[in-house]
Amino acid sequence: MEYKIAVIKGDGIGPEIVTEAMKVLDKTGEKFGHTFIFTEVLAGGAAIDATGNCLPDKTVAICKASDSVLLGAVGGPKYDTQPPANRPEKALLGLREQLGLFANIRPAKMYKALADACPIKESIIGSGFDITVVRELTGDVYFGKKMRTEENGMVVGHDDMNYSVPEVVRIARRAFEMAMVRSKKVTSVDKANVLETSRVWRETVTKVAAEYPDVQLEHMYVDNAAMQLVRNPGQFDVMVTGNLFGDILSDEASMITGSIGMLPSASLGEANPGMYEPIHGSAPDIAGKSLANPIATILSCAMMLKYSFGLETESAAIEAAVEAALNSGARTADIAKAGEHVLSTSEMGSLICKQL
Ligand code: NAD
């Protein structure tokens, strides 16, 4: 099969990590008989340098015409003086909007070989955890009406929090479908004891659950969920929540794995193309030094193969190659303990290709 992938290498460490991810995709294609056709396009700081615009129309057109989008990271101090509408991060929002990406999927998995990096006590972690956070990405308080009023001589800020039933239905279905191929458990997180938006969320998720009788659904208030994530992360499998709560909880879930350079993500809409990227930023402090860990980007490609192309075996092969490399002691600087041998970005990419 042939798959067209739009590639946005981006800024900072973006080009270094994406180059390794492309190497791994090529190796996977060679092993399983697929061809991945890459078209490099510009977004973020690199696009501002080349065209003055953080998200050129040509980039959007090529992304829309591709089967999938692979992104490194955008941004950096050089662009801090750009006007808000042309900041590199605006390119990401623009892409999500243009591609209709309403579901952000973030796995947070603890690798046994990296258990030392987990900031939670071993007695709590037990046999580890493997959580997938499904965050709604295009609604909620971030997209509600914003305004300032003046009351009794004081300025008051307002952000309207809202969710419509169809918005909740489509993200809930994503979560239940994901749970069907995992351990069939969904935790829906809201604040239904206080917020009307959350009451609509909870009622709707409960109705959608009836379509998936094999999946166990539990509801949890967001404050409790934040607590439970550090008290007993192993209890969660698929966690579905709105944009605001998901923003915070997905970062919390990521950080308890202890290694930002390891965590992939997918942003999905109703149809292809999805967008796949590491959860970290452009790490300007280590850019150009061959210190970046490419694993988050490589695992994002594994998600792409599974969710956009339906290539489950190929996706699992990449995940297994990463795990084998870690088990063999391969470490980039961010995950190495003092005194351990440190691999460069491209050495780690090559080793994962070799494991494949
Ligand atoms: P960051 O994620 O870039 O870096 C935080 C820390 O983690 C740094 O010490 C960095 O060296 C380290 N780190 C990150 N990725 C790593 C990797 N793969 N391997 C090893 N170490 C890694 O966050 P930041 O410093 O807050 O942001 C830097 C820039 O990135 C900013 O301009 C920010 O706006 C942008 N950013 C972009 C995205 C994106 O493109 N999706 C996301 C977050 C931040």
Side-chain angles (χ1 to χ4, degrees):
M1 287 288 288
E2 269 188 14
Y3 299 96
K4 288 184 283 177
I5 303 175
V7 176
I8 302 170
K9 288 188 169 174
D11 309 315
I13 60 170
E16 298 166 62
I17 53 177
V18 172
T19 300
E20 298 314 307
M22 290 162 75
K23 229 160 86 178
V24 171
L25 280 175
D26 277 336
K27 182 73 193 175
T28 310
E30 201 183 291
K31 184 175 155 90
F32 290 94
H34 306 297
T35 306
F36 299 108
I37 301 161
F38 301 113
T39 307
E40 287 192 35
V41 287
L42 295 174
I48 296 171
D49 289 342
T51 69
N53 178 357
C54 71
L55 184 59
D57 291 344
K58 186 178 163 197
T59 296
V60 175
I62 291 175
C63 289
K64 281 185 175 171
S66 300
D67 298 316
S68 186
V69 180
L70 174 64
L71 172 86
V74 297
K78 180 178 171 192
Y79 308 102
D80 283 351
T81 52
Q82 285 292 318
N86 201 38
R87 304 253 325 192
E89 298 78 5
K90 271 278 170 192
L92 298 182
L93 297 180
L95 279 167
R96 284 176 193 160
E97 196 182 325
Q98 297 272 350
L99 300 175
L101 306 174
F102 64 84
N104 184 239
I105 318 292
R106 270 200 197 186
K109 174 175 169 174
M110 198 194 77
Y111 286 87
K112 291 244 162 59
L114 301 181
D116 286 348
C118 175
I120 298 177
K121 279 191 213 149
E122 209 183 327
S123 58
I124 292 177
I125 291 300
S127 56
F129 55 88
D130 181 359
I131 306 168
T132 292
V133 180
V134 179
R135 167 189 169 194
E136 201 289 328
L137 207 55
T138 54
D140 206 353
V141 68
Y142 293 173
F143 289 84
K145 192 173 163 196
K146 297 172 187 307
M147 62 175 177
R148 287 180 186 217
T149 55
E150 206 168 308
E151 287 162 31
N152 302 324
M154 287 181 298
V155 174
V156 182
H158 306 257
D159 299 272
D160 176 31
M161 174 182 260
N162 66 74
Y163 265 121
S164 67
V165 168
E167 282 176 309
V168 183
V169 167
R170 66 182 185 178
I171 191 76
R173 285 201 178 121
R174 281 274 173 194
F176 283 106
E177 273 151 28
M178 204 141 286
M180 286 295 288
V181 293
R182 291 172 52 95
S183 61
K184 299 194 171 68
K185 182 180 174 193
V186 169
T187 305
S188 172
V189 178
D190 61 38
K191 189 71 183 163
N193 50 342
V194 178
L195 299 171
E196 202 51 42
T197 311
S198 281
R199 286 191 270 271
V200 170
W201 176 280
R202 189 175 281 221
E203 282 161 26
T204 309
V205 173
T206 305
K207 277 187 193 146
V208 172
E211 297 169 22
Y212 302 87
D214 294 338
V215 179
Q216 178 201 341
L217 168 67
E218 71 170 350
H219 298 283
M220 196 177 276
Y221 296 137
V222 62
D223 39 351
N224 187 23
M227 215 160 58
Q228 295 298 330
L229 265 175
V230 288
R231 203 185 70 83
N232 178 14
Q235 72 183 284
F236 295 110
D237 188 60
V238 173
M239 191 181 246
V240 62
T241 189
N243 207 345
L244 173 64
F245 301 151
D247 192 358
I248 299 162
L249 292 178
S250 61
D251 267 17
E252 187 188 354
S254 307
M255 290 323 294
I256 58 172
T257 68
S259 44
I260 193 170
M262 297 284 305
L263 300 167
S265 79
S267 298
L268 307 174
E270 293 289 6
N272 277 339
M275 189 159 84
Y276 298 83
E277 56 181 312
I279 69 149
H280 59 71
S282 60
D285 53 333
I286 56 167
K289 297 181 182 166
S290 285
L291 286 172
N293 184 348
I295 292 180
T297 319
I298 290 169
L299 290 174
S300 300
C301 293
M303 292 184 83
M304 176 192 291
L305 299 191
K306 182 154 65 177
Y307 296 126
S308 277
F309 305 156
L311 302 176
E312 300 265 350
T313 309
E314 292 81 341
S315 170
I318 294 180
E319 287 173 354
V322 167
E323 198 138 10
L326 293 172
N327 290 342
S328 75
R331 300 286 186 270
T332 42
D334 57 313
I335 52 174
K337 282 190 279 186
E340 273 184 333
H341 178 64
V342 166
L343 297 183
S344 69
T345 309
S346 68
E347 283 171 336
M348 181 60 102
S350 300
L351 193 78
I352 292 167
C353 287
K354 202 171 145 206
Q355 295 290 353
L356 260 171

